Amino acid sequence: MSHTPTTQSNTNASGAAAKPTLTGVRIRQRKGQAKATAKFEPETFRDSLLLHLALVATPPTTNDLVAKLVQAGTTLEYLKYSEQLFELLFVGGLLQPGGAYLDDKRSPFYILQPAGGELGDWPPVKGIVETLQRVIQRYRYLQRPLEESFLPDLLGYLAKWDADQRAKLAEAIAMLVIELQIAPKALTSLAKDHVVKDQVGLDFLTKFFRVYLARQSIDHLAATIRRSGLRDILTVFPVQIRDRAHLDAHFKKEGLPQIIDWYAKVALSEIKEETISAVSRMINDEDSNQQIVEHLKAQQAERPAPEADLCEWIFLGWMKAFDWTARADQLDANVVAFVNRLAPTLEPFCNGAKAEVGIINAVQVFCYQDTRILKAFPQILKVFYNTDIVSDQAIIYWHQKGAKPQGKQHFLKVTQALVDFLEEESDEDDE
């Protein structure tokens, strides 16, 4: 028998009329709303997924495992239970806060599983990584929770696993970053105090580097480290050995000289930026030349850099502080006077032929790139010679075979008169 909707109107205690309601009509809950309000039952999800995985033959094949997971995904809510899905595939069971297992129930296939036994020749690390890659290609929404929450949290529990298990996790995450191109944000967890303790984080990072470099170049790895948000790999070292000497010794012992060379370049780049900024700031603050020299000497004592590089950075710091707002026809004279005033801050560090030729080339390249002071080059060179920053032999050598290719013919031409004069002076001295 059909029901005819009737409208009921009630008056509440305050006397205000209540909103009319429909009686006799069954209002269905929307599917999305039902999912959002559904009870969160991770153990129920786990048990359901284990039923699907129990159908995978042993020894397993990756194709069979992928097929069963994709089939399970048609009925199970992978997005809602993504953390539990990953826990089963990585560590085999559900985890409590803090990293301990919730109970004794385990997946038959997971990354930390020992090889052999019913697995046969199927490698759990490679097999699960390939499985994840193909499942995530099917369910793209799983990649973000994997890289943004699950893996960073999992690496926070590293101390819970033994050395062999940590090695498997390092291999798996390196492969996921390379092959699935997941964001390497998880590496920031290695700098947490409880992970740094007892070199747990360092041990993991070393194994991660080894696996990564077996598949990709050091430049590729360097880009990954930059994207990870790990500010400095030294932060993974325990505080008592957190310095360059221990870093070099560790990676030399581990047979990873590429890491030592890469880190040296990174450290040098940081010193470069700091030097340029410091010189520019001190000039703008009207510090004396002597104060600038003392600062640079203290920096060299604490974090030494090659003198050829340091001289170039000092010059770049000058140019950063220089007032470029003057009229174009006055820039040449202004920059020469500026260089002459600051020459005493460079002279103490420009020792030896390499540093002297290097600073000439630094000025050459700068003038080539910023043509506003292109004509000032020979005058700057004269200032360098008159203030003992460079010798006559350094200028002659630069002119004969040491000049950079950038605008080379132009710079050789405009300095020909100076070089002729220096060669004549040198001949007279010899006589």
Side-chain angles (χ1 to χ4, degrees):
M1 184 175 69
S2 63
H3 293 278
T4 303
T6 60
T7 302
Q8 292 184 344
S9 178
N10 299 314
T11 303
N12 59 25
S14 62
K19 292 183 179 180
T21 59
L22 292 177
T23 59
V25 175
R26 186 178 179 185
I27 301 176
R28 297 180 59 188
Q29 192 177 35
R30 296 179 66 86
K31 186 184 298 184
Q33 186 182 9
K35 286 186 177 181
T37 58
K39 187 177 179 181
F40 184 67
E41 299 177 316
E43 294 174 63
T44 301
F45 171 85
R46 185 267 317 273
D47 294 341
S48 298
L49 185 60
L50 290 182
L51 290 176
H52 287 275
L53 294 180
L55 300 176
V56 178
T58 52
T61 66
T62 302
N63 286 340
D64 193 12
L65 183 55
V66 170
K68 293 298 186 293
L69 287 170
V70 170
Q71 182 182 15
T74 60
T75 56
L76 300 180
E77 297 179 67
Y78 278 170
L79 181 58
K80 184 175 183 178
Y81 294 99
S82 60
E83 181 179 345
Q84 289 68 39
L85 171 64
F86 297 139
E87 285 177 347
L88 290 172
L89 293 177
F90 276 81
V91 301
L94 300 187
L95 299 178
Q96 302 179 58
Y101 282 108
L102 179 66
D103 52 35
D104 294 332
K105 288 191 176 182
R106 297 288 180 272
S107 165
F109 317 107
Y110 57 100
I111 286 173
L112 297 191
Q113 189 174 12
E118 293 186 351
L119 295 181
D121 295 330
W122 189 78
V125 176
K126 184 180 179 182
I128 295 296
V129 168
E130 290 180 352
T131 298
L132 274 169
Q133 186 174 7
R134 291 167 61 183
V135 169
I136 290 177
Q137 286 174 348
R138 172 66 176 78
Y139 303 106
R140 296 300 303 176
Y141 54 77
L142 287 175
Q143 181 161 341
R144 178 170 290 183
L146 174 66
E147 61 190 18
E148 292 190 357
S149 57
F150 176 75
L151 290 180
D153 290 344
L154 185 65
L155 293 197
Y157 304 147
L158 273 183
K160 297 286 185 180
W161 319 116
D162 61 33
D164 181 62
Q165 291 173 318
R166 292 197 295 266
K168 288 180 178 180
L169 283 178
E171 180 182 0
I173 293 177
M175 292 171 66
L176 286 169
V177 171
I178 294 171
E179 297 172 15
L180 190 54
Q181 297 182 347
I182 68 167
K185 178 183 177 182
L187 297 182
T188 57
S189 296
L190 302 180
K192 294 180 178 178
D193 291 342
H194 64 283
V195 181
V196 168
K197 185 180 177 182
D198 299 326
Q199 299 192 27
V200 170
L202 177 59
D203 177 62
F204 179 93
L205 189 64
T206 303
K207 290 178 172 60
F208 176 88
F209 284 164
R210 183 172 286 113
V211 173
Y212 205 106
L213 290 173
R215 293 166 169 78
Q216 286 290 349
S217 68
I218 185 63
D219 291 336
H220 197 283
L221 174 60
T224 294
I225 296 299
R226 285 195 299 271
R227 289 189 295 111
S228 73
L230 186 63
R231 182 178 57 82
D232 186 343
I233 64 170
L234 267 181
T235 59
V236 176
F237 283 69
V239 176
Q240 62 271 24
I241 59 170
R242 192 172 291 174
D243 54 56
R244 281 289 304 281
H246 282 93
L247 183 147
D248 291 352
H250 173 77
F251 288 112
K252 181 178 180 181
K253 177 184 175 183
E254 294 292 333
L256 294 171
Q258 314 97 304
I259 301 298
I260 299 172
D261 295 340
W262 162 73
Y263 192 80
K265 292 178 182 177
V266 170
L268 202 62
S269 177
E270 291 178 355
I271 299 173
K272 174 183 178 180
E273 296 304 318
E274 291 174 7
T275 303
I276 293 172
S277 295
V279 169
S280 173
R281 184 187 67 254
M282 295 180 79
I283 293 171
N284 289 327
D285 290 345
E286 299 184 353
D287 289 0
S288 67
N289 286 346
Q290 186 57 38
Q291 287 175 308
I292 297 175
V293 170
E294 289 173 359
H295 173 86
L296 293 170
K297 285 183 175 180
Q299 176 184 290
Q300 277 292 82
E302 183 179 350
R303 303 173 68 188
E307 282 198 335
D309 292 329
L310 179 62
C311 291
E312 179 181 355
W313 303 340
I314 294 171
F315 174 77
L316 293 176
W318 292 355
M319 295 299 99
K320 185 177 181 181
F322 179 67
D323 182 7
W324 295 92
T325 61
R327 285 170 38 186
D329 59 349
Q330 295 177 344
L331 277 178
D332 290 339
N334 288 357
V335 77
V336 172
F338 189 72
V339 168
N340 189 58
R341 175 167 70 85
L342 293 168
T345 66
L346 179 58
E347 186 273 332
F349 306 100
C350 204
N351 303 308
K354 186 174 182 180
E356 293 179 23
V357 175
I359 189 60
I360 298 173
N361 277 325
V363 179
Q364 175 196 332
V365 172
F366 188 90
C367 291
Y368 174 79
Q369 293 174 340
D370 194 330
T371 55
R372 290 176 294 178
I373 59 169
L374 187 65
K375 295 179 181 178
F377 178 76
Q379 298 301 319
I380 294 175
L381 205 52
K382 287 180 183 178
V383 171
F384 282 177
Y385 175 69
N386 291 333
T387 55
D388 292 329
I389 290 175
V390 299
S391 65
D392 55 350
Q393 293 304 312
I395 295 175
I396 292 169
Y397 176 84
W398 168 83
H399 194 272
Q400 290 178 347
K401 51 186 176 182
K404 291 283 188 180
Q406 291 93 327
K408 179 177 179 179
Q409 295 307 315
H410 167 79
F411 291 110
L412 296 184
K413 182 179 179 181
V414 298
T415 55
Q416 185 65 57
L418 174 61
V419 172
D420 291 343
F421 168 78
L422 295 176
E423 287 178 336
E424 290 175 9
E425 289 284 308
S426 179
D427 292 341
E428 289 178 6
D429 290 343
D430 291 341
E431 292 176 3

